[in-house]
């Protein structure tokens, strides 16, 4: 609308200059009002254009994979299936240690939490040493350790992939978690691997049964303690 009006004025100005049209007196108040209207319309048009341009740019970045609009990953990490070389007890011990030093409870161990861990283990590290420890297993390059990356430390330790003088080797050695047992990857032949795979599966099932029995025993002990307490209460009534 503002563009059409401006175009009309320009056409009139050209006709007046060429002598094709007489100049028309314009009421000052009307002219001022029209000017004010133009002042309001121009910023509104500019804002609309800039907003539309920004939206189109964002849409283009998303289409090119540059923008921040990404579908969340649906992959679920299962330590028992991915780290089959470790028993359930070993993984639970590692998880307990991980949660112990995850002071912010955000499911990550950052540089300061790793610093505290190494100090508690009696092997304090320099700032650069701590950064190198994280870097060695930091697969997603976020500068901190997830539980999966924490488990990678013990996998590398069990496979002998850590240097003797590295901070991660010291962490694995001082953690008091025994990871010396070999899994399926230690088998030399296909048949040995099959046997070990069966043994791993049987061991996994046995550990689950043992956990269930332990929980059942704890519940029975709790019931017995509650019954004994009630008997003791009734004796004093």
């Amino acid at each position: 609308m503002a563009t059409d009006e401006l175009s009309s004025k320009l056409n009139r100005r050209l006709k007046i200059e060429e002598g094709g049209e007489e100049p028309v007196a314009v009421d000052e108040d009307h002219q001022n009002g029209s000017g004010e209207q133009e002042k309001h319309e121009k910023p509104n048009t500019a804002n609309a254009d800039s907003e539309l341009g920004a939206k189109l740019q964002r849409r283009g970045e998303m289409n090119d994979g540059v923008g921040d609009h990404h579908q969340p990953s649906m992959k679920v990490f299962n330590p028992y299936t991915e780290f089959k070389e470790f028993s359930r007890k070993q993984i639970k011990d590692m998880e307990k240690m991980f949660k112990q030093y995850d002071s912010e409870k955000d499911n990550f161990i950052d540089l300061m939490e790793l610093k505290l861990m190494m100090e508690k283990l009696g092997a304090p590290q320099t700032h650069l040493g701590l950064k190198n420890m994280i870097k060695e297993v930091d697969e997603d390059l976020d500068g901190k350790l997830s539980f999966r990356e924490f488990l990678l430390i013990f996998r590398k330790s069990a496979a002998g992939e850590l240097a003797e003088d590295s901070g991660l080797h010291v962490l694995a050695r001082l953690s008091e978690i025994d990871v010396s047992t070999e899994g399926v990857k230690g088998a030399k032949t296909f048949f040995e691997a099959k046997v070990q795979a069966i043994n791993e599966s049987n061991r996994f099932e046995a550990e689950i049964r043992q956990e269930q029995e332990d929980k059942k025993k704890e519940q029975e002990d709790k019931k017995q303690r509650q019954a004994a307490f009630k008997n003791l209460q009734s004796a004093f009534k």
Side-chain angles (χ1 to χ4, degrees):
M1 177 178 166
T3 306
D4 294 340
E5 186 175 354
L6 180 61
S7 177
S8 176
K9 287 182 178 181
L10 288 173
N11 286 331
R12 265 201 317 271
R13 177 67 60 84
L14 289 172
K15 288 180 180 180
I16 290 170
E17 290 177 354
E18 293 171 357
E21 185 175 329
E22 292 294 327
V24 180
V26 180
D27 182 65
E28 187 176 350
D29 292 336
H30 177 73
Q31 187 175 10
N32 290 338
S34 177
E36 289 295 327
Q37 186 177 1
E38 279 190 40
K39 287 179 183 177
H40 288 296
E41 286 181 352
K42 285 180 181 178
N44 290 339
T45 306
N47 290 340
D49 289 344
S50 61
E51 185 178 353
L52 179 60
K55 287 182 178 179
L56 290 173
Q57 184 178 355
R58 280 199 300 272
R59 177 65 59 85
E61 288 177 350
M62 290 175 189
N63 292 337
D64 294 339
V66 179
D68 56 355
H69 181 71
H70 298 290
Q71 291 293 332
S73 174
M74 302 301 290
K75 185 178 179 181
V76 178
F77 166 57
N78 187 335
Y80 302 110
T81 56
E82 186 168 345
F83 291 83
K84 293 181 179 180
E85 64 266 40
F86 301 133
S87 66
R88 285 178 63 86
K89 183 181 183 305
Q90 287 172 329
I91 292 177
K92 284 184 177 295
D93 287 343
M94 296 173 198
E95 184 180 17
K96 182 179 178 182
M97 182 181 182
F98 181 86
K99 289 182 176 180
Q100 179 184 349
Y101 292 100
D102 177 20
S103 57
E104 294 186 3
K105 306 303 178 188
D106 59 353
N107 298 320
F108 291 98
I109 290 180
D110 60 23
L111 191 137
M112 292 306 296
E113 289 167 337
L114 181 60
K115 178 178 182 293
L116 178 62
M117 178 191 295
M118 298 307 293
E119 289 174 353
K120 291 280 187 181
L121 292 174
Q125 303 288 310
T126 64
H127 183 79
L128 181 60
L130 293 167
K131 290 181 72 173
N132 288 335
M133 288 174 66
I134 293 176
K135 185 178 180 181
E136 193 166 350
V137 290
D138 187 16
E139 292 188 333
D140 54 8
L141 304 177
D142 60 356
K144 52 190 176 181
L145 299 176
S146 64
F147 180 51
R148 183 183 180 281
E149 291 166 343
F150 187 70
L151 291 177
L152 287 177
I153 298 173
F154 297 94
R155 170 177 281 177
K156 287 176 175 288
S157 175
E161 297 176 1
L162 298 176
E164 290 287 334
D165 58 347
S166 72
L168 293 184
H169 182 267
V170 174
L171 187 158
R173 180 169 54 83
L174 296 177
S175 65
E176 298 182 354
I177 299 174
D178 182 16
V179 292
S180 59
T181 57
E182 291 188 0
V184 177
K185 292 183 179 179
K188 295 179 181 179
T189 67
F190 172 79
F191 295 105
E192 288 178 359
K194 293 290 281 184
V195 171
Q196 284 193 355
I198 294 171
N199 291 338
E200 287 291 323
S201 177
N202 292 338
R203 186 189 68 179
F204 188 78
E205 293 174 0
E207 288 173 348
I208 293 177
R209 284 197 299 269
Q210 185 62 44
E211 284 182 9
Q212 291 173 343
E213 290 175 3
D214 291 342
K215 287 182 180 178
K216 186 177 179 181
K217 188 175 183 304
E218 286 179 7
Q219 291 175 351
E220 290 175 353
D221 291 343
K222 184 178 179 181
K223 288 181 181 178
Q224 290 177 359
R225 288 195 301 270
Q226 289 175 341
F229 181 73
K230 287 181 180 179
N231 291 336
L232 187 61
Q233 278 184 321
S234 61
F236 284 96
K237 288 182 179 178

